[in-house]
Amino acid sequence: MTPAGKPLSIGAVVRALGDEFPDLTISKVRFLEAEGLVTPARTAAGYRQFTGADVDRLRWVLRAQRDRFWPLTTIREALAAADRGFEPGPVGDGPRLPAPSPDTDVPDVDDLLARGRIRLTRAELVRASGLDAPEVASLVEHGLLRPAPDGSHGEDDLRAATAAAGLARYGLEARHLRVFRAAADRESGLLEQATAGLRAGAAEQARADAAHHALALHAALVRGGFAGSGGPG
């Protein structure tokens, strides 16, 4: 079991790993530290303090040496990859490529194929979105909302108005948000062109699939740009 709780001394680490690695010595742990494979914290007096994560890392290194006969160079490369977010493989198998976490705000293909049944009057949209009537009217004027011929608004308009309400807290008005409409229209046009040659049923499925990936790309680019500007990454 990996020790938990307060940090361990180097002797306690050797004892904790002794059942699996009976030949492990304090000198060996010091050597692996000198090679940069584990970096325990130090007290003000210079004593090593190993965390549970340090012990797990040492165990992984020792298994890679014992079970796979990996040289230190290979182990170091694998650990460096793990430190960059790759998932360490079991018993020296090396790191697994990381998968991006799912973006729950990006609709999947089934969601995009579903025909929204929600229809709201202008007054209902105002109440549901948290905007006032002039703000909704401005969103319509600037093309952010596109009511049906009967003046009703669908679910996409509700989502757009709600998002606009959130952005309004940062001083962004409908006139500022026109760039989103322009970008969305360009992206939609590109996807239409890419799937135009397909037969009707396949084209609808392909457009939904392409839209899903386009939305994921857009979210990733916005998130990356925000992180690059000093926001949380």
Side-chain angles (χ1 to χ4, degrees):
M1 296 292 292
T2 300
K6 68 178 184 179
L8 302 176
S9 67
I10 191 169
V13 169
V14 171
R15 290 191 295 273
L17 296 175
D19 288 344
E20 185 174 357
F21 306 99
D23 295 332
L24 183 63
T25 63
I26 288 177
S27 296
K28 176 65 177 289
V29 176
R30 286 174 176 162
F31 170 75
L32 294 175
E33 179 188 0
E35 291 293 319
L37 301 180
V38 64
T39 54
R42 299 263 186 162
T43 67
Y47 293 105
R48 296 172 179 82
Q49 292 187 312
F50 290 83
T51 64
D54 292 328
V55 177
D56 285 342
R57 189 179 181 96
L58 273 173
R59 182 183 291 109
W60 192 89
V61 170
L62 294 168
R63 286 176 177 175
Q65 289 183 310
R66 181 194 65 193
D67 301 338
R68 294 302 178 95
F69 307 103
W70 277 14
L72 293 182
T73 300
T74 302
I75 293 173
R76 188 179 293 108
E77 291 173 353
L79 288 175
D83 289 340
R84 291 187 290 112
F86 288 45
E87 180 185 351
V91 196
D93 279 346
R96 300 189 185 97
L97 290 174
S101 57
D103 194 327
T104 55
D105 290 333
V106 175
D108 61 22
V109 173
D110 289 339
D111 289 334
L112 290 166
L113 285 172
R115 301 301 185 190
R117 296 179 180 176
I118 224 173
R119 303 309 299 176
L120 302 174
T121 66
R122 177 68 60 86
E124 289 169 338
L125 180 64
V126 168
R127 292 198 303 272
S129 66
L131 296 171
D132 59 31
E135 288 172 327
V136 170
S138 183
L139 289 174
V140 173
E141 179 185 353
H142 287 90
L144 276 300
L145 304 181
R146 291 178 172 172
D150 64 0
S152 65
H153 293 271
E155 186 173 353
D156 288 333
D157 274 4
L158 174 58
R159 290 177 180 273
T162 302
L167 291 171
R169 294 197 295 268
Y170 304 98
L172 296 177
E173 302 173 359
R175 58 192 176 89
H176 302 122
L177 303 181
R178 287 180 298 180
V179 294
F180 290 93
R181 169 53 72 191
D185 287 343
R186 288 196 300 269
E187 292 164 7
S188 297
L190 178 62
L191 299 184
E192 288 286 348
Q193 291 178 17
T195 57
L198 301 174
R199 56 186 174 82
E204 184 178 25
Q205 182 75 26
R207 279 195 296 270
D209 182 63
H212 167 75
H213 293 297
L215 290 168
L217 173 62
H218 182 82
L221 293 175
V222 172
R223 183 182 291 113
F226 182 63
S229 68

